[in-house]
Amino acid sequence: MNLSLKPEDAAFQKEVERFINQHWPREARRLKAADSRPKTEKKYQQDWWNALVQAGWSVPHWPVEFGGTGWTPTQHYIWNRVLAKAECPPANSLGARIVGPLLCTWGTRAQQRRFLPPIREARVQWCQGYSEPSAGSDLAALMTTALRLDDHYLLNGTKAWVAEAQSADWMFCLVRTSAEPKVGMTFLLLDMHSEGVGLEPVVTLGNAHKLSTVTLNNVRVPVDQRIGEEGGGLAYAEQLRDQERLALAEAARLQVEFKRLRQIASKTPSNDTRLDKDPYFRRRMDAVEIELMALEMTELRALSQTERGCASAAESAVLKIRGIEVRQHIAELVTEACGHYAIPYPNPLYLDNEGAIGPEFALSAITSLLRERASSLLGGTSEIQYDSVAEQVLG
């Protein structure tokens, strides 16, 4: 595996760095590092997104005819890595990474004209309606029904653990249109403002409202908001899941988080020395750094296989598993390094008036720790991924 960049790829990296320095200023990065003052940070994020749209870089992984860039896999890797190093705001992963490619591949021309431009320009927010109270990673167990009545479907059921549903304009969801386990699932696009849609907040241990339970009571969804063929939804979802898992690894963003961990440890006293000099804590940091290096090598190996056209789902499953584990280990060490300053749950409404009790880097420690404990459920639980790796790699 050749890890050196070709001259054209090195030039591309310089171009991306210049763009970032121009449109994602140092002040925004300092705000991001502090994990505070969300209202101030939001303006920088909107300016950044406007610059991406203007440059035609808001959805680089889409096909060129729908607004994509036509970059090579290596250029995509460079783009994601440089963005991560500069801590640029990530795109709405559900709209840009899942709904967009779904529509590009299986959507009708009318659907593409209607839905793709708002996603490309970040004018709408999407949420995902897969999980239910009795179904998670096993999508074939979904029970939400969609009864076909002339030109629309009538939806009844419950979607659980729906991230950002409270701010979403649309949901893409899997529903049951027949009793057949494998071919009875259909993909529908649901307007979240439709009559019969109910939301109940799920407040997590971190005192955050990121998740909701969405109830569907005789919700009408026009047939022209169905993606692909009736009964083909499960196959579409499985083909898209690899993209979601790959996004959960992100070795470059984890390297930024690890660098911040080292900085925190270097500022934290421990007995007669600093925490980063403490043999026990340093040994644990070194172990995480080794895991992170291995994750990066796995990403590069997956990139090399993609370039040769021989990538497999096993790599995405391994990246998902290991990426989440490294993320959890970093969150644990940051919380431990912050000590008692990590205990209070910060209220964003009070930050501008009261500030942090201790160092600002402690503001998000405990909420990040609790959030990352649940991240192994994303994109299919890690237990499901272990089964996938065992089947595909070990036979």
Side-chain angles (χ1 to χ4, degrees):
M1 182 171 62
N2 185 1
L3 298 181
S4 60
L5 292 177
K6 298 176 183 177
E8 59 269 26
D9 291 329
F12 173 76
Q13 180 170 300
K14 293 291 185 183
E15 180 184 3
V16 172
E17 291 170 347
R18 285 194 297 269
F19 180 87
I20 290 174
N21 289 332
Q22 180 180 355
H23 297 290
W24 185 242
R26 296 288 176 182
E27 312 88 78
R29 303 180 203 185
R30 283 194 291 271
L31 281 171
K32 186 71 175 177
D35 278 319
S36 63
R37 313 318 191 251
K39 291 183 179 179
T40 306
E41 183 186 343
K42 189 173 181 179
K43 179 185 181 303
Y44 285 113
Q45 291 178 343
Q46 187 60 54
D47 291 344
W48 163 254
W49 191 260
N50 291 340
L52 287 178
V53 173
Q54 186 67 29
W57 287 359
S58 59
V59 284
H61 56 291
W62 287 12
V64 173
E65 60 267 32
F66 297 115
T69 57
W71 292 339
T72 66
T74 298
Q75 289 174 322
H76 281 289
Y77 178 82
I78 291 170
W79 168 256
N80 290 326
R81 184 174 180 79
V82 176
L83 259 62
K85 291 293 187 182
E87 297 190 80
C88 297
N92 181 317
S93 60
L94 297 179
R97 286 192 171 274
I98 298 181
V99 182
L102 185 75
L103 288 164
C104 291
T105 305
W106 293 291
T108 64
R109 290 295 182 187
Q111 290 170 340
Q112 292 165 351
R113 288 193 297 269
R114 178 184 179 186
F115 292 107
L116 291 181
I119 296 174
R120 186 172 58 243
E121 297 164 12
R123 291 189 276 115
V124 295
Q125 296 296 316
W126 288 81
C127 63
Q128 175 177 285
Y130 282 5
S131 298
E132 297 182 2
S134 59
S137 299
D138 182 13
L139 296 180
L142 300 182
M143 297 301 294
T144 295
T145 59
L147 177 64
R148 174 75 180 267
L149 298 173
D150 298 325
D151 62 347
H152 68 276
Y153 291 97
L154 204 60
L155 271 62
N156 284 280
T158 302
K159 294 296 181 181
W161 314 109
V162 183
E164 307 296 347
Q166 72 277 10
S167 58
D169 304 293
W170 287 83
M171 171 193 284
F172 63 99
C173 57
L174 275 175
V175 295
R176 182 166 293 286
T177 47
S178 81
E180 293 292 328
K182 292 293 185 181
V183 297
M185 313 303 295
T186 299
F187 239 119
L188 294 180
L189 304 183
L190 167 65
D191 186 341
M192 291 294 287
H193 305 291
S194 301
E195 184 178 354
V197 176
L199 269 70
E200 181 179 346
V202 177
V203 179
T204 62
L205 288 174
N207 200 30
H209 175 203
K210 295 287 187 180
L211 304 171
S212 297
T213 299
V214 180
T215 57
L216 307 171
N217 183 19
N218 289 329
V219 178
R220 294 168 61 98
V221 176
V223 173
D224 63 9
Q225 289 172 203
R226 182 188 72 211
I227 302 297
E229 298 296 326
E230 185 172 293
L234 190 57
Y236 305 153
E238 289 174 347
Q239 291 184 48
L240 288 169
R241 184 174 282 176
D242 287 348
Q243 299 181 38
E244 184 181 6
R245 292 172 188 162
L246 286 170
L248 293 172
E250 292 189 317
R253 289 193 183 273
L254 291 177
Q255 287 169 346
V256 172
E257 295 300 321
F258 184 79
K259 180 180 179 181
R260 184 171 297 140
L261 166 63
R262 282 204 177 279
Q263 292 172 342
I264 292 171
S266 69
K267 299 175 183 177
T268 304
S270 176
N271 297 324
D272 296 328
T273 183
R274 302 180 326 210
L275 190 58
D276 63 332
K277 301 295 184 182
D278 178 85
Y280 174 68
F281 195 85
R282 182 169 182 173
R283 184 163 60 249
R284 292 167 65 197
M285 284 201 306
D286 289 344
V288 172
E289 187 173 21
I290 291 170
E291 292 177 355
L292 186 50
M293 292 170 62
L295 179 69
E296 182 182 26
M297 289 299 103
T298 305
E299 275 193 348
L300 290 170
R301 185 164 58 250
L303 172 65
S304 177
Q305 292 175 337
T306 300
E307 288 273 23
R308 300 197 307 270
C310 57
S312 71
E315 278 77 16
S316 68
V318 170
L319 285 169
K320 188 269 182 186
I321 294 168
R322 300 302 292 161
I324 291 299
E325 290 175 350
V326 172
R327 193 184 306 275
Q328 291 172 339
H329 293 160
I330 292 175
E332 290 166 1
L333 289 174
V334 168
T335 303
E336 185 173 331
C338 292
H340 56 275
Y341 289 121
I343 295 174
Y345 287 170
N347 188 330
L349 296 175
Y350 303 151
L351 286 179
D352 289 327
N353 293 327
E354 298 181 355
I357 295 175
E360 282 212 340
F361 56 70
L363 280 171
S364 62
I366 194 68
T367 51
S368 296
L369 172 69
L370 295 172
R371 182 180 64 248
E372 297 305 342
R373 293 313 307 162
S375 60
S376 56
L377 302 175
L378 303 177
T381 65
S382 293
E383 288 76 11
I384 295 291
Q385 308 314 317
Y386 280 119
D387 286 347
S388 175
V389 172
E391 179 181 2
Q392 297 181 51
V393 178
L394 305 178

